[in-house]
Amino acid sequence: MSEHGKQIDEFMETILWFSVILFAIWFGFFVYALARFRANKNPNASYEGLKADWPKHLEWTIIFVEMVLLFGFSVPLWGNRVLNPPGPGEAVTLEAVAQQFGWIFHYPGPDGRLGRRDMRLADAMNPIGIDKSDPASKDDIITMNEMHVPVGKPVLIYLGSRDVVHNYYVIQMRIQRDAIPGLTIPMWFTPTHTGRFEIACGQLCGVGHFAMKGFLVVDTQSDYEAWLKQMGQLSQNNAPIGEKALARR
Ligand SMILES: [Cu+2]
């Protein structure tokens, strides 16, 4: 359901088939060893062991193949995922702040700029500490447990946490990252299908962890714009728009 998802799936499949082949070879060797070194043909254990060189070469070959997999494929794939964020203006940008036990989403509003935040300003009506004196924060939209994005456009999420370590996890999009208090961690993906997907918390974050879920809604461009407009109308004084208001739509 995301552009990079196919790449990850294909890589996992390659690893699986590689493991299957390795398993077949080792299992074959195991059966061979059982027959070749059976007790009635070899009553006494050999004190000298094997003198041949080939097992050593085989081990080195396997180590080499594994290094190629790790440094030739895994590391570049991961590097590509974490080092090349979509450029400014190109991506739908928002903040996702995790808390015990839910998700708060912070949209920049029509001006396209996220208002300044400071956790010292946080209170019940301002859970993520929006600085209301910053002009960029005036039109910002805060939603609880539901985020919308348009299909086919890169999405850049700045991930944070209010309290403990959480983890933003949407399996259908093949994205998962830790939300760590005190840090702002970027993550991005491009959804390729519309739909409603569950955002799970992927780290055991407390007694309510099981109930910590949000929704990622991938809309068509026009549905997304309509949703954002409606949220803009509901939004008052940077207060979060809760589930009740979201459900009433
Ligand atoms: Cu959590």
Side-chain angles (χ1 to χ4, degrees):
M1 303 277 174
S2 66
E3 239 165 46
H4 73 280
K6 199 169 175 292
Q7 216 181 352
I8 290 179
D9 287 4
E10 278 169 2
F11 185 59
M12 299 276 254
E13 208 174 306
T14 309
I15 295 288
L16 178 71
W17 284 113
F18 179 68
S19 307
V20 167
I21 293 166
L22 215 55
F23 172 77
I25 294 171
W26 282 123
F27 192 74
F29 178 73
F30 173 65
V31 172
Y32 165 77
L34 281 183
R36 172 72 179 73
F37 303 108
R38 64 189 184 275
N40 60 3
K41 276 285 168 73
N42 305 273
N44 295 315
S46 158
Y47 295 103
E48 295 194 334
L50 189 62
K51 285 278 168 60
D53 269 346
W54 65 265
K56 211 193 294 172
H57 298 314
L58 186 65
E59 289 288 356
W60 279 110
T61 309
I62 290 167
I63 290 172
F64 177 74
V65 170
E66 281 169 357
M67 288 297 143
V68 168
L69 278 176
L70 186 61
F71 294 105
F73 295 93
S74 303
V75 172
L77 188 64
W78 173 243
N80 191 32
R81 283 301 300 147
V82 298
L83 295 176
N84 301 309
E90 187 193 339
V92 173
T93 306
L94 68 144
E95 273 191 309
V97 182
Q99 65 173 359
Q100 286 174 318
F101 299 95
W103 298 96
I104 301 166
F105 301 107
H106 177 200
Y107 282 85
D111 70 353
R113 291 193 302 143
L114 287 164
R116 207 179 75 80
R117 287 205 299 124
D118 186 338
M119 272 308 176
R120 280 168 293 196
L121 301 170
D123 57 38
M125 286 311 285
N126 186 5
I128 56 172
I130 303 273
D131 180 354
K132 290 173 188 178
S133 66
D134 178 7
S137 74
K138 287 273 180 296
D139 59 352
D140 285 9
I141 298 162
I142 318 288
T143 65
M144 299 286 281
N145 296 326
E146 189 169 310
M147 63 173 277
H148 286 230
V149 292
V151 69
K153 255 186 118 177
V155 179
L156 177 59
I157 302 173
Y158 287 105
L159 200 56
S161 171
R162 277 186 75 190
D163 37 45
V164 300
V165 175
H166 298 271
N167 177 288
Y168 184 102
Y169 183 29
V170 181
I171 191 167
Q172 293 91 340
M173 298 295 158
R174 303 292 189 265
I175 48 168
Q176 176 169 37
R177 274 213 120 164
D178 274 355
I180 298 167
L183 293 182
T184 302
I185 300 171
M187 72 186 299
W188 56 90
F189 65 103
T190 303
T192 54
H193 293 69
T194 55
R196 191 176 162 86
F197 308 98
E198 190 179 313
I199 302 165
C201 179
Q203 293 283 13
L204 186 56
C205 56
V207 286
H209 164 69
F210 70 96
M212 181 168 173
K213 74 175 178 186
F215 287 95
L216 164 68
V217 181
V218 181
D219 284 328
T220 60
Q221 181 71 29
S222 60
D223 282 355
Y224 168 70
E225 277 162 20
W227 178 81
L228 210 56
K229 200 171 152 221
Q230 199 166 21
M231 289 300 111
Q233 285 159 358
L234 284 171
S235 173
Q236 273 171 356
N237 207 17
N238 300 130
I241 303 166
E243 270 125 274
K244 276 184 193 147
L246 287 167
R248 246 188 276 129
R249 286 176 296 127

